[in-house]
Amino acid sequence: MFTTVTELINAEGGSPDSFSYLPPEIPLTFLGEAVQRLRVLDVSDQATVTEIRDDLAIAFGYADFGRSQSQAGLKVNDIVFEHTGALKFQFREAKNLTKNKHNLAFRWPVHSNPALLRGMKMWLSVRDRIGSLSTQFWQLPWDKKRLVGSDFDAMLQRSLKRRLITPEKGFVYSSHSSRAGAQSAAAAIGVTIVTIRRMGGYSPTSMVPEEKYIDPSCPPSPAALVFFGWLRPSPTT
C-alpha cells in the first residue's frame, strides 16, 4: 500500500521529476497579491494585467479543484454574481462533458471565500475596462491564441517563477499539482470524498481522487480552510 501520491507515482515508474501537490498557501499568496494589485491597476499595463490574470486564474482553478481544461472552456457568460453576492458558474466545454453533465454547474456562496469572490468581481470589471472581445473568460486581447488547458500550466509556472518558488529537488509543480493539492488539502480538513467528487467534476463512483490525487500525508492548514472550509460537513448538535 502506498501512503503518498509520490510513492504511487514512483512505484508506477514515474519520471525523476514527478509532480508534487501544490500546498494551498501558494495559491492563497497569489490570490492576496492579485486582489491588492487589482485595486490600483492601470489596465494599459499589459504585463501587470497578465500577471494578475495568471495569479487569479490559478487561485480560482485551485478553489475549483484544479480543472485546467474546464477553466480553458469557461466563457464570459458562464459566470455571474447573484444579488446575494454568491458566485454561480458553469462549464459548457469540459472533459467528459457527456459523462458528467450533472457536475457542471456550481454555486459558491458569499461566505465561501470572500477574497476570491471579490477578486473575481474585480476581474469582471477589468475585462470591461480593457475591452476584451474574447468569449473566453481568462483570455486577454494580446494573447496570441485561444487558451487551452496547457496554458494554465504556463500561468502557474510564470507565477511561481516570479516568486522564485520551487518544489523539492526531483519534483515539479504542474497542473496536476493544483488538482492534487486542492483535493489533498480539502480531504485534510475533513471535506468528504462525496463532496470532493461532486465539486471536482467526477462521477459519483470515481476512484480517481483517492487513487491519483489525494495525498494522505497533506496536513490540515489555515490556507486549506480559506479555500475549502465552507465545504466541510456542518457540525452536529
Side-chain angles (χ1 to χ4, degrees), residues 19-20 22 153 156-157 160 172-179:
F19 75 82
S20 181
L22 190 70
D153 183 66
L156 174 62
Q157 301 310 319
L160 292 169
V172 297
Y173 285 140
S174 69
S175 56
H176 286 291
S177 300
S178 290
R179 203 146 171 75

Side-chain angles (χ1 to χ4, degrees), residues 2 52 58 67 113 161:
F2 308 111
I52 292 173
I58 296 306
R67 293 177 289 182
N113 188 331
K161 185 176 181 179

Side-chain angles (χ1 to χ4, degrees), residues 15 24 27 61 88 112-113 120 126 143 178 213 217:
S15 67
K88 292 182 69 174
S112 59
N113 188 331
M120 294 298 287
V126 166
D143 286 329
S178 290
Y213 290 117
S217 70

Side-chain angles (χ1 to χ4, degrees), residues 74-80 88-90 92 135 137:
L74 188 66
K75 301 289 196 302
V76 177
N77 293 332
D78 290 340
I79 189 164
V80 64
K88 292 182 69 174
F89 61 98
Q90 61 182 336
R92 295 195 184 115
T135 59
F137 184 76

Side-chain angles (χ1 to χ4, degrees), residues 18-179:
S18 297
F19 75 82
S20 181
Y21 73 78
L22 190 70
E25 290 81 7
I26 293 177
L28 186 60
T29 296
F30 295 176
L31 172 60
E33 294 181 6
V35 170
Q36 288 294 327
R37 298 177 79 186
L38 279 165
R39 292 193 175 104
V40 295
L41 177 63
D42 175 358
V43 296
S44 67
D45 185 345
Q46 294 185 8
T48 298
V49 172
T50 301
E51 289 178 359
I52 292 173
R53 185 276 309 272
D54 291 356
D55 287 350
L56 192 59
I58 296 306
F60 179 82
Y62 197 88
D64 188 47
F65 289 94
R67 293 177 289 182
S68 59
Q69 193 63 42
S70 297
Q71 302 301 329
L74 188 66
K75 301 289 196 302
V76 177
N77 293 332
D78 290 340
I79 189 164
V80 64
F81 279 89
E82 297 179 346
H83 70 279
T84 62
L87 176 66
K88 292 182 69 174
F89 61 98
Q90 61 182 336
F91 293 127
R92 295 195 184 115
E93 296 180 18
K95 189 176 182 180
N96 299 325
L97 176 63
T98 302
K99 180 179 180 181
N100 292 335
K101 280 184 179 179
H102 60 288
N103 281 348
L104 295 181
F106 302 88
R107 180 180 184 274
W108 293 352
V110 66
H111 68 272
S112 59
N113 188 331
L116 180 55
L117 268 61
R118 184 163 55 252
M120 294 298 287
K121 187 171 290 188
M122 295 167 76
W123 183 252
L124 284 169
S125 175
V126 166
R127 282 185 53 90
D128 290 340
R129 289 158 57 197
I130 62 178
S132 173
L133 300 178
S134 172
T135 59
Q136 282 190 300
F137 184 76
W138 294 112
Q139 188 176 16
L140 294 169
W142 49 86
D143 286 329
K144 295 181 179 179
K145 61 180 179 62
R146 176 181 171 84
L147 298 178
V148 296
S150 59
D151 289 309
F152 290 82
D153 183 66
M155 293 179 198
L156 174 62
Q157 301 310 319
R158 290 194 296 264
S159 292
L160 292 169
K161 185 176 181 179
R162 292 202 319 270
R163 298 171 174 89
L164 303 179
I165 297 174
T166 57
E168 303 85 355
K169 184 178 180 180
F171 294 88
V172 297
Y173 285 140
S174 69
S175 56
H176 286 291
S177 300
S178 290
R179 203 146 171 75

